[in-house]
Amino acid sequence: MTVRIVTLPGDGVGPEVTNQALAVLLTAAEEGGLDIAVEEFRIGGRAVDETGTPLPQETLDACRNADAVLLGAVGGPQWDHLVGDQRCESGLLQLRAGLGVFANLRPVRVHPNLADRSALRQEVVSGVDLVVVRELTGGAYFGRPKERTDQRAVDTTVYTRPEIERVARVAFRLAAGRRGRLTSVDKANVLATGQLWRATVSELAAEFPGVALEHALVDSFAMRLMQRPGDIDVVVTENLFGDILSDE
């Protein structure tokens, strides 16, 4: 059996890190007796320069037909003038939507030999092992219609119950196989989408009696993530919050 992998090196440091990751992957495959076929396609700024779009149709088609996709990075200062669907980041959004990759798993683990190198105190970060499950195909990044003039801009945040249910189930199952704790992060005290998020996740909890569910507001949770990261097991949250919190 041959495993087909599409690589999307993209821009900036993307080709360099993709080449190194691919070298490790091919070595591991050889050791394990796995046959891998690799094809490279364009995305981001390079794709804009060469095809006029950040995600050519041939790239999306190749990704849909592949067993796995290895992505580097997109964008750079030379493409910052682009707007709308021409922006390099738009290629990422289109790729996520086109492949239906709605759950982004972002693990955070501190290596014992590096605990003293953190900006946080060693006793705060030692032993940290958490996962952020970020919803990836909804929210403000995908809300339509978008609007922008010189004086006004509009982004819409939209979530449906099925979108929340499917990513929450991923998080519940992940927590069930770890330490059995799930934190759902929202802004239910202000946002209607946050209220729907909290209600939907709460209803799903009955399907996973072995998982202890708690809810947290995104602003206070951002502080808690810095103060007591070792207390956190699995986090599930919407697209924008997940982007920010996992970077934190």
Side-chain angles (χ1 to χ4, degrees), residues 3-239:
V3 176
R4 182 165 179 250
I5 297 178
V6 165
T7 63
L8 307 176
D11 313 310
V13 74
E16 179 181 354
V17 297
T18 301
N19 285 340
Q20 296 306 313
L22 190 58
V24 173
L25 180 61
L26 293 175
T27 300
E30 183 178 356
E31 290 290 329
L34 184 64
D35 187 22
I36 293 181
V38 179
E39 291 185 90
E40 180 180 316
F41 288 85
R42 294 168 291 196
I43 194 172
R46 174 190 167 196
V48 170
D49 291 345
E50 297 179 6
T51 71
T53 177
L55 183 68
Q57 187 62 46
E58 66 170 357
T59 298
L60 181 56
D61 290 342
C63 291
R64 284 173 170 161
N65 292 323
D67 296 299
V69 178
L70 181 62
L71 172 69
V74 299
Q78 61 266 53
W79 298 288
D80 281 350
H81 65 284
L82 299 175
V83 297
D85 290 341
Q86 287 297 104
R87 288 192 61 83
C88 299
E89 295 81 2
S90 178
L92 284 182
L93 299 183
Q94 294 173 45
L95 182 66
R96 293 168 183 171
L99 296 181
V101 285
F102 62 87
N104 184 204
L105 307 184
R106 298 191 162 191
V108 179
R109 184 175 297 166
V110 177
H111 193 285
N113 292 340
L114 298 176
D116 63 342
R117 303 302 180 93
S118 171
L120 300 178
R121 296 194 308 274
Q122 184 171 352
E123 61 268 27
V124 173
V125 300
S126 292
V128 166
D129 179 5
L130 63 92
V131 181
V132 177
V133 181
R134 171 190 172 191
E135 199 289 324
L136 203 61
T137 57
Y141 293 173
F142 287 88
R144 290 288 190 268
K146 292 182 180 291
E147 176 187 327
R148 180 186 170 186
T149 67
D150 288 342
Q151 301 297 321
R152 185 171 184 266
V154 177
D155 291 298
T156 55
T157 300
V158 178
Y159 271 109
T160 65
R161 185 176 292 271
E163 287 176 319
I164 300 169
E165 287 179 344
R166 65 183 184 178
V167 72
R169 282 196 170 93
V170 170
F172 270 113
R173 293 184 187 121
L174 183 61
R178 287 171 48 91
R179 303 196 301 276
R181 301 200 305 271
L182 177 62
T183 304
S184 178
V185 178
D186 56 44
K187 191 63 177 169
N189 59 336
V190 176
L191 301 179
T193 48
Q195 294 160 12
L196 178 64
W197 185 283
R198 182 169 295 205
T200 303
V201 175
S202 294
E203 291 168 10
L204 277 180
E207 298 181 14
F208 302 89
V211 176
L213 170 66
E214 65 168 343
H215 297 281
L217 297 175
V218 63
D219 42 1
S220 59
F221 183 77
M223 180 173 65
R224 175 180 161 193
L225 190 57
M226 294 291 92
Q227 293 176 328
R228 305 189 310 278
D231 296 343
I232 301 167
D233 185 12
V234 178
V235 178
V236 63
T237 191
E238 59 114 275
N239 205 341

